[in-house]
Amino acid sequence: MRRTLTSLFIASTLISFGQSTDEDTIRNKVDEFFTAFHAQDSAGLANLVSEKIVLQTIGTGKDGETILRQENFEDLIRSIISIPDSVKFREKLLDYSIQIDGAMANAWTPYEFWVNDTFSHCGVNSFQMVKQQGVWKIIYLIDTRRREGCEGQPD
């Protein structure tokens, strides 16, 4: 009985350790994405994503209707690297919620976006990832964008 309990304890510890390591890795991948994003590092960004990455954005039109926009990753890269040095931009992540099931993971990251130290908008990023050959890659990134109801929004 004592051996069985010891074996179960060791097994559960190893499973928990593996999950924690993957959670840390996923969080680091998200952090690496934004480090490359802020550095306007196109190669760094491309290294973190799948060749078939899907990008989408959810926003609201002038009439109040929800708009879902599909974006091309190469267009995103072009727009990021074309930002002039005189423009300071920062996406500030407020939290991380990470869920994992085998080779699939999701990182949910609420954020605020700032341009030249002025609040621009807020929302949530949802990173979908897959683990292939021991490496986590971003396969789908969708975000919301709004200007109201944000934590850091000036009054």
Side-chain angles (χ1 to χ4, degrees), residues 19-66:
Q19 184 81 354
S20 175
T21 300
D22 275 343
E23 285 181 19
D24 292 341
T25 301
I26 290 162
R27 182 182 174 127
N28 289 338
K29 289 288 181 182
V30 171
D31 289 344
E32 287 174 33
F33 180 89
F34 284 107
T35 297
F37 177 79
H38 295 129
Q40 298 172 283
D41 177 3
S42 59
L45 287 167
N47 189 45
L48 297 166
V49 303
S50 163
E51 291 178 10
K52 297 179 182 181
I53 185 170
V54 174
L55 296 175
Q56 293 182 318
T57 296
I58 298 172
T60 306
K62 292 180 183 182
D63 58 359
E65 287 292 314
T66 299

Short mmCIF file of all heavy atoms in Angstrom, two decimals, residues 19-66:
data_model
loop_
_atom_site.label_atom_id
_atom_site.label_comp_id
_atom_site.label_asym_id
_atom_site.label_seq_id
_atom_site.Cartn_x
_atom_site.Cartn_y
_atom_site.Cartn_z
N GLN A 19 3.15 19.67 -16.93
CA GLN A 19 2.14 20.68 -17.26
C GLN A 19 2.70 22.07 -16.97
O GLN A 19 2.58 22.97 -17.77
CB GLN A 19 0.87 20.41 -16.44
CG GLN A 19 -0.27 21.32 -16.77
CD GLN A 19 -1.03 20.91 -17.99
OE1 GLN A 19 -0.66 19.99 -18.71
NE2 GLN A 19 -2.10 21.59 -18.25
N SER A 20 3.32 22.23 -15.81
CA SER A 20 3.88 23.52 -15.44
C SER A 20 4.96 23.96 -16.43
O SER A 20 5.01 25.11 -16.82
CB SER A 20 4.46 23.44 -14.03
OG SER A 20 5.08 24.65 -13.70
N THR A 21 5.79 23.02 -16.85
CA THR A 21 6.84 23.35 -17.81
C THR A 21 6.23 23.81 -19.13
O THR A 21 6.68 24.80 -19.70
CB THR A 21 7.75 22.12 -18.04
OG1 THR A 21 8.34 21.77 -16.80
CG2 THR A 21 8.84 22.44 -19.04
N ASP A 22 5.20 23.12 -19.61
CA ASP A 22 4.53 23.55 -20.84
C ASP A 22 3.86 24.91 -20.64
O ASP A 22 3.90 25.76 -21.53
CB ASP A 22 3.50 22.51 -21.29
CG ASP A 22 4.12 21.40 -22.13
OD1 ASP A 22 5.24 21.57 -22.63
OD2 ASP A 22 3.46 20.35 -22.27
N GLU A 23 3.25 25.13 -19.49
CA GLU A 23 2.64 26.44 -19.23
C GLU A 23 3.69 27.54 -19.27
O GLU A 23 3.47 28.59 -19.87
CB GLU A 23 1.92 26.45 -17.89
CG GLU A 23 0.61 25.69 -17.91
CD GLU A 23 -0.10 25.72 -16.57
OE1 GLU A 23 0.21 26.58 -15.72
OE2 GLU A 23 -0.97 24.86 -16.38
N ASP A 24 4.83 27.29 -18.64
CA ASP A 24 5.92 28.27 -18.67
C ASP A 24 6.41 28.50 -20.10
O ASP A 24 6.66 29.64 -20.50
CB ASP A 24 7.09 27.81 -17.80
CG ASP A 24 6.75 27.80 -16.31
OD1 ASP A 24 5.77 28.46 -15.90
OD2 ASP A 24 7.47 27.11 -15.56
N THR A 25 6.53 27.42 -20.87
CA THR A 25 7.00 27.53 -22.26
C THR A 25 6.02 28.34 -23.10
O THR A 25 6.42 29.20 -23.89
CB THR A 25 7.20 26.13 -22.87
OG1 THR A 25 8.16 25.42 -22.09
CG2 THR A 25 7.67 26.21 -24.32
N ILE A 26 4.74 28.11 -22.91
CA ILE A 26 3.72 28.83 -23.68
C ILE A 26 3.74 30.31 -23.31
O ILE A 26 3.70 31.20 -24.18
CB ILE A 26 2.33 28.19 -23.48
CG1 ILE A 26 2.33 26.84 -24.19
CG2 ILE A 26 1.22 29.10 -23.98
CD1 ILE A 26 1.25 25.91 -23.75
N ARG A 27 3.83 30.59 -22.02
CA ARG A 27 3.91 31.98 -21.58
C ARG A 27 5.15 32.65 -22.20
O ARG A 27 5.10 33.77 -22.68
CB ARG A 27 3.96 32.07 -20.06
CG ARG A 27 4.00 33.50 -19.57
CD ARG A 27 4.10 33.58 -18.06
NE ARG A 27 4.28 34.96 -17.67
CZ ARG A 27 3.55 35.58 -16.79
NH1 ARG A 27 2.58 34.96 -16.17
NH2 ARG A 27 3.78 36.84 -16.49
N ASN A 28 6.28 31.93 -22.19
CA ASN A 28 7.50 32.46 -22.80
C ASN A 28 7.34 32.70 -24.29
O ASN A 28 7.88 33.68 -24.83
CB ASN A 28 8.69 31.54 -22.52
CG ASN A 28 9.12 31.57 -21.07
OD1 ASN A 28 8.85 32.52 -20.35
ND2 ASN A 28 9.77 30.51 -20.63
N LYS A 29 6.61 31.82 -24.99
CA LYS A 29 6.38 32.01 -26.43
C LYS A 29 5.59 33.30 -26.67
O LYS A 29 5.89 34.06 -27.59
CB LYS A 29 5.62 30.83 -27.04
CG LYS A 29 6.42 29.57 -27.15
CD LYS A 29 7.47 29.67 -28.22
CE LYS A 29 8.24 28.36 -28.30
NZ LYS A 29 9.30 28.40 -29.28
N VAL A 30 4.58 33.55 -25.84
CA VAL A 30 3.80 34.78 -25.96
C VAL A 30 4.70 35.99 -25.70
O VAL A 30 4.69 36.97 -26.45
CB VAL A 30 2.58 34.77 -25.01
CG1 VAL A 30 1.90 36.13 -24.98
CG2 VAL A 30 1.60 33.68 -25.41
N ASP A 31 5.52 35.90 -24.65
CA ASP A 31 6.45 36.99 -24.34
C ASP A 31 7.44 37.21 -25.48
O ASP A 31 7.73 38.35 -25.84
CB ASP A 31 7.19 36.70 -23.04
CG ASP A 31 6.31 36.83 -21.81
OD1 ASP A 31 5.20 37.42 -21.90
OD2 ASP A 31 6.72 36.31 -20.74
N GLU A 32 7.95 36.11 -26.06
CA GLU A 32 8.88 36.22 -27.19
C GLU A 32 8.20 36.88 -28.39
O GLU A 32 8.81 37.68 -29.11
CB GLU A 32 9.39 34.84 -27.61
CG GLU A 32 10.37 34.22 -26.66
CD GLU A 32 10.73 32.79 -27.06
OE1 GLU A 32 10.76 32.49 -28.28
OE2 GLU A 32 10.98 31.97 -26.16
N PHE A 33 6.92 36.55 -28.60
CA PHE A 33 6.16 37.15 -29.70
C PHE A 33 6.14 38.67 -29.54
O PHE A 33 6.43 39.41 -30.47
CB PHE A 33 4.73 36.59 -29.74
CG PHE A 33 3.89 37.15 -30.84
CD1 PHE A 33 3.88 36.56 -32.09
CD2 PHE A 33 3.10 38.27 -30.63
CE1 PHE A 33 3.09 37.07 -33.12
CE2 PHE A 33 2.32 38.80 -31.65
CZ PHE A 33 2.32 38.20 -32.90
N PHE A 34 5.84 39.14 -28.32
CA PHE A 34 5.75 40.58 -28.12
C PHE A 34 7.12 41.25 -28.05
O PHE A 34 7.25 42.43 -28.43
CB PHE A 34 4.86 40.92 -26.92
CG PHE A 34 3.42 40.75 -27.28
CD1 PHE A 34 2.70 39.67 -26.79
CD2 PHE A 34 2.79 41.62 -28.14
CE1 PHE A 34 1.38 39.48 -27.15
CE2 PHE A 34 1.46 41.44 -28.51
CZ PHE A 34 0.76 40.37 -28.01
N THR A 35 8.13 40.54 -27.63
CA THR A 35 9.48 41.09 -27.68
C THR A 35 9.86 41.34 -29.15
O THR A 35 10.36 42.42 -29.50
CB THR A 35 10.49 40.13 -27.01
OG1 THR A 35 10.16 40.02 -25.62
CG2 THR A 35 11.92 40.63 -27.16
N ALA A 36 9.60 40.36 -30.01
CA ALA A 36 9.88 40.52 -31.44
C ALA A 36 8.98 41.59 -32.06
O ALA A 36 9.43 42.40 -32.88
CB ALA A 36 9.70 39.19 -32.16
N PHE A 37 7.72 41.63 -31.65
CA PHE A 37 6.76 42.62 -32.13
C PHE A 37 7.26 44.03 -31.83
O PHE A 37 7.34 44.87 -32.72
CB PHE A 37 5.41 42.34 -31.45
CG PHE A 37 4.31 43.31 -31.77
CD1 PHE A 37 3.61 43.21 -32.96
CD2 PHE A 37 3.95 44.29 -30.87
CE1 PHE A 37 2.56 44.09 -33.25
CE2 PHE A 37 2.91 45.17 -31.15
CZ PHE A 37 2.22 45.07 -32.33
N HIS A 38 7.64 44.28 -30.58
CA HIS A 38 8.09 45.62 -30.19
C HIS A 38 9.43 45.98 -30.83
O HIS A 38 9.70 47.16 -31.08
CB HIS A 38 8.18 45.73 -28.67
CG HIS A 38 6.83 45.62 -28.01
ND1 HIS A 38 6.59 44.75 -26.98
CD2 HIS A 38 5.66 46.24 -28.26
CE1 HIS A 38 5.32 44.86 -26.62
NE2 HIS A 38 4.73 45.75 -27.39
N ALA A 39 10.26 44.97 -31.10
CA ALA A 39 11.55 45.21 -31.76
C ALA A 39 11.42 45.29 -33.27
O ALA A 39 12.42 45.53 -33.96
CB ALA A 39 12.54 44.11 -31.38
N GLN A 40 10.21 45.07 -33.78
CA GLN A 40 9.95 45.07 -35.22
C GLN A 40 10.83 44.03 -35.92
O GLN A 40 11.34 44.25 -37.01
CB GLN A 40 10.14 46.47 -35.81
CG GLN A 40 9.17 47.49 -35.22
CD GLN A 40 9.46 48.90 -35.63
OE1 GLN A 40 10.39 49.52 -35.12
NE2 GLN A 40 8.66 49.41 -36.57
N ASP A 41 10.95 42.89 -35.27
CA ASP A 41 11.82 41.79 -35.72
C ASP A 41 10.99 40.77 -36.50
O ASP A 41 10.39 39.87 -35.93
CB ASP A 41 12.47 41.15 -34.48
CG ASP A 41 13.34 39.95 -34.80
OD1 ASP A 41 13.51 39.61 -35.99
OD2 ASP A 41 13.83 39.33 -33.84
N SER A 42 10.97 40.91 -37.81
CA SER A 42 10.15 40.04 -38.65
C SER A 42 10.61 38.58 -38.58
O SER A 42 9.78 37.67 -38.55
CB SER A 42 10.14 40.53 -40.09
OG SER A 42 11.45 40.56 -40.61
N ALA A 43 11.90 38.34 -38.55
CA ALA A 43 12.41 36.97 -38.47
C ALA A 43 12.05 36.33 -37.14
O ALA A 43 11.68 35.15 -37.08
CB ALA A 43 13.93 36.95 -38.67
N GLY A 44 12.14 37.10 -36.06
CA GLY A 44 11.77 36.59 -34.75
C GLY A 44 10.31 36.21 -34.68
O GLY A 44 9.94 35.16 -34.12
N LEU A 45 9.44 37.03 -35.26
CA LEU A 45 8.01 36.73 -35.30
C LEU A 45 7.75 35.48 -36.13
O LEU A 45 7.00 34.59 -35.71
CB LEU A 45 7.22 37.92 -35.86
CG LEU A 45 7.08 39.12 -34.93
CD1 LEU A 45 6.57 40.32 -35.70
CD2 LEU A 45 6.18 38.79 -33.75
N ALA A 46 8.34 35.42 -37.30
CA ALA A 46 8.12 34.28 -38.20
C ALA A 46 8.57 32.97 -37.57
O ALA A 46 7.97 31.92 -37.82
CB ALA A 46 8.84 34.51 -39.52
N ASN A 47 9.59 33.02 -36.73
CA ASN A 47 10.10 31.82 -36.08
C ASN A 47 9.12 31.24 -35.05
O ASN A 47 9.19 30.07 -34.72
CB ASN A 47 11.44 32.14 -35.41
CG ASN A 47 12.13 30.91 -34.90
OD1 ASN A 47 12.22 29.90 -35.58
ND2 ASN A 47 12.61 30.99 -33.68
N LEU A 48 8.21 32.05 -34.57
CA LEU A 48 7.29 31.63 -33.51
C LEU A 48 5.96 31.09 -34.02
O LEU A 48 5.20 30.52 -33.25
CB LEU A 48 7.02 32.81 -32.56
CG LEU A 48 8.23 33.32 -31.81
CD1 LEU A 48 7.94 34.67 -31.19
CD2 LEU A 48 8.67 32.31 -30.76
N VAL A 49 5.70 31.28 -35.30
CA VAL A 49 4.39 30.92 -35.84
C VAL A 49 4.49 29.79 -36.86
O VAL A 49 5.54 29.57 -37.46
CB VAL A 49 3.70 32.14 -36.49
CG1 VAL A 49 3.55 33.29 -35.48
CG2 VAL A 49 4.42 32.62 -37.72
N SER A 50 3.37 29.14 -37.07
CA SER A 50 3.24 28.12 -38.10
C SER A 50 3.21 28.79 -39.46
O SER A 50 2.79 29.94 -39.59
CB SER A 50 1.94 27.35 -37.86
OG SER A 50 1.56 26.62 -39.00
N GLU A 51 3.64 28.08 -40.48
CA GLU A 51 3.59 28.61 -41.85
C GLU A 51 2.15 28.92 -42.27
O GLU A 51 1.93 29.77 -43.13
CB GLU A 51 4.19 27.61 -42.83
CG GLU A 51 5.68 27.43 -42.69
CD GLU A 51 6.23 26.39 -43.65
OE1 GLU A 51 5.49 25.93 -44.55
OE2 GLU A 51 7.41 26.02 -43.50
N LYS A 52 1.19 28.25 -41.68
CA LYS A 52 -0.21 28.42 -42.06
C LYS A 52 -1.00 29.18 -40.99
O LYS A 52 -2.19 28.96 -40.82
CB LYS A 52 -0.85 27.05 -42.30
CG LYS A 52 -0.21 26.30 -43.44
CD LYS A 52 -0.86 24.96 -43.63
CE LYS A 52 -0.17 24.19 -44.75
NZ LYS A 52 -0.77 22.89 -44.97
N ILE A 53 -0.34 30.10 -40.28
CA ILE A 53 -1.01 30.83 -39.21
C ILE A 53 -2.24 31.58 -39.72
O ILE A 53 -2.23 32.10 -40.84
CB ILE A 53 -0.04 31.82 -38.51
CG1 ILE A 53 -0.75 32.46 -37.30
CG2 ILE A 53 0.52 32.83 -39.48
CD1 ILE A 53 0.15 33.25 -36.39
N VAL A 54 -3.26 31.60 -38.90
CA VAL A 54 -4.49 32.33 -39.18
C VAL A 54 -4.55 33.51 -38.22
O VAL A 54 -4.37 33.34 -37.01
CB VAL A 54 -5.74 31.43 -39.00
CG1 VAL A 54 -7.02 32.23 -39.17
CG2 VAL A 54 -5.69 30.26 -39.96
N LEU A 55 -4.77 34.70 -38.74
CA LEU A 55 -4.89 35.92 -37.94
C LEU A 55 -6.27 36.53 -38.15
O LEU A 55 -6.69 36.71 -39.29
CB LEU A 55 -3.85 36.96 -38.35
CG LEU A 55 -2.38 36.62 -38.16
CD1 LEU A 55 -1.52 37.73 -38.75
CD2 LEU A 55 -2.07 36.43 -36.70
N GLN A 56 -6.93 36.85 -37.05
CA GLN A 56 -8.22 37.52 -37.14
C GLN A 56 -8.33 38.57 -36.04
O GLN A 56 -7.68 38.47 -35.00
CB GLN A 56 -9.37 36.52 -37.01
CG GLN A 56 -9.46 35.57 -38.19
CD GLN A 56 -10.63 34.62 -38.07
OE1 GLN A 56 -10.91 34.08 -37.01
NE2 GLN A 56 -11.32 34.41 -39.18
N THR A 57 -9.17 39.57 -36.31
CA THR A 57 -9.44 40.64 -35.35
C THR A 57 -10.94 40.86 -35.28
O THR A 57 -11.62 40.85 -36.31
CB THR A 57 -8.76 41.94 -35.80
OG1 THR A 57 -7.35 41.74 -35.79
CG2 THR A 57 -9.09 43.10 -34.89
N ILE A 58 -11.42 41.05 -34.06
CA ILE A 58 -12.83 41.37 -33.84
C ILE A 58 -12.92 42.80 -33.34
O ILE A 58 -12.25 43.17 -32.37
CB ILE A 58 -13.47 40.42 -32.81
CG1 ILE A 58 -13.41 38.97 -33.32
CG2 ILE A 58 -14.91 40.84 -32.51
CD1 ILE A 58 -13.82 37.94 -32.30
N GLY A 59 -13.72 43.60 -34.01
CA GLY A 59 -13.91 44.99 -33.61
C GLY A 59 -15.35 45.38 -33.79
O GLY A 59 -16.22 44.55 -34.07
N THR A 60 -15.61 46.66 -33.66
CA THR A 60 -16.96 47.19 -33.81
C THR A 60 -16.94 48.30 -34.84
O THR A 60 -16.09 49.20 -34.78
CB THR A 60 -17.48 47.74 -32.46
OG1 THR A 60 -17.37 46.71 -31.48
CG2 THR A 60 -18.93 48.16 -32.57
N GLY A 61 -17.87 48.23 -35.77
CA GLY A 61 -17.98 49.27 -36.79
C GLY A 61 -18.69 50.51 -36.25
O GLY A 61 -19.20 50.52 -35.13
N LYS A 62 -18.73 51.55 -37.06
CA LYS A 62 -19.36 52.81 -36.65
C LYS A 62 -20.84 52.64 -36.33
O LYS A 62 -21.39 53.38 -35.52
CB LYS A 62 -19.17 53.86 -37.74
CG LYS A 62 -17.72 54.28 -37.89
CD LYS A 62 -17.54 55.32 -38.96
CE LYS A 62 -16.06 55.62 -39.08
NZ LYS A 62 -15.77 56.64 -40.06
N ASP A 63 -21.46 51.64 -36.96
CA ASP A 63 -22.88 51.41 -36.71
C ASP A 63 -23.12 50.48 -35.51
O ASP A 63 -24.25 50.12 -35.21
CB ASP A 63 -23.53 50.81 -37.96
CG ASP A 63 -22.88 49.51 -38.39
OD1 ASP A 63 -21.91 49.07 -37.74
OD2 ASP A 63 -23.34 48.93 -39.39
N GLY A 64 -22.03 50.10 -34.82
CA GLY A 64 -22.16 49.24 -33.64
C GLY A 64 -22.13 47.76 -33.94
O GLY A 64 -22.18 46.93 -33.03
N GLU A 65 -22.06 47.41 -35.22
CA GLU A 65 -22.02 46.00 -35.61
C GLU A 65 -20.65 45.39 -35.35
O GLU A 65 -19.63 46.06 -35.52
CB GLU A 65 -22.35 45.85 -37.10
CG GLU A 65 -23.80 46.07 -37.44
CD GLU A 65 -24.69 44.98 -36.89
OE1 GLU A 65 -24.36 43.78 -37.03
OE2 GLU A 65 -25.73 45.34 -36.31
N THR A 66 -20.64 44.12 -34.99
CA THR A 66 -19.39 43.40 -34.80
C THR A 66 -18.77 43.09 -36.16
O THR A 66 -19.46 42.62 -37.06
CB THR A 66 -19.64 42.09 -34.01
OG1 THR A 66 -20.17 42.43 -32.74
CG2 THR A 66 -18.36 41.30 -33.84
#
